[in-house]
Amino acid sequence: MALIIAQLAIRPGQFLILNNEQNYSCNIDTHERVRGISVFFKKEFASSVFNDTLKKDNELLDNPFLIHNAQPEFFQTLNAIEPEVQFQLARLISDLETHGYNGGTEEHLVFFFIIL
C-alpha cells in the first residue's frame, strides 16, 4: 500500500471532495475566526442515491428494493462554491442548527450528492 501525502490549501469559496474511507487531516493556519464544515455520506445513503441516479424511473418502480452496493468514486479536486451550492449549504446549516439531524436533512444531502 502506497502512502501519498498531499497538502491542499482550501480558500474561502472553495470545497474539496474526498472519497469514502479516505484518510485526511485538517489544519487551519490563521488567527482569524474561521467556520469550517464537513459533509459526510453514509455508505448506504451514497449507494442508494447513486443507484437511483443510474437507473431509469421505470426500473426503480419495477424493482424498488433492488439496490446495488456500488459506491461512487469522486474525482478529488478543489471546486468553486457556486451561488446555488452556497444557498443550499446555508439552508443545510440553518436546518441542522435549528432542528438537528432529522429526516428533512437527507433532502439537502441528496442535492449535494447529485451535484458532485
Side-chain angles (χ1 to χ4, degrees):
M1 179 199 268
L3 177 63
I4 299 173
I5 299 175
Q7 291 185 351
L8 292 172
I10 303 172
R11 310 258 183 248
Q14 294 180 320
F15 67 95
L16 175 66
I17 300 169
L18 299 173
N19 286 300
N20 188 42
E21 297 182 6
Q22 181 173 357
N23 293 327
Y24 74 96
S25 65
C26 177
N27 180 34
I28 299 173
D29 188 19
T30 184
H31 296 291
E32 296 178 28
R33 189 172 179 182
V34 175
R35 184 174 188 185
I37 184 169
S38 298
V39 177
F40 296 92
F41 302 107
K42 291 180 181 179
K43 286 183 191 181
E44 298 81 14
F45 176 82
S47 291
S48 176
V49 175
F50 189 54
N51 183 58
D52 289 351
T53 59
L54 294 177
K55 292 192 176 180
K56 295 179 182 176
D57 289 343
N58 61 341
E59 286 181 86
L60 293 170
L61 291 171
D62 290 342
N63 297 303
F65 301 107
L66 179 62
I67 296 176
H68 298 291
N69 291 325
Q71 291 289 316
E73 290 288 326
F74 299 107
F75 185 69
Q76 296 166 246
T77 186
L78 291 174
N79 298 279
I81 298 177
E82 302 296 333
E84 180 63 18
V85 173
Q86 181 67 38
F87 174 74
Q88 293 293 340
L89 189 57
R91 286 184 59 206
L92 171 64
I93 292 168
S94 175
D95 283 356
L96 287 171
E97 288 174 343
T98 304
H99 306 291
Y101 187 88
N102 60 35
T105 305
E106 287 189 0
E107 279 185 42
H108 296 295
L109 296 178
V110 168
F111 169 82
F112 288 111
F113 187 88
I114 290 174
I115 64 155
L116 301 176

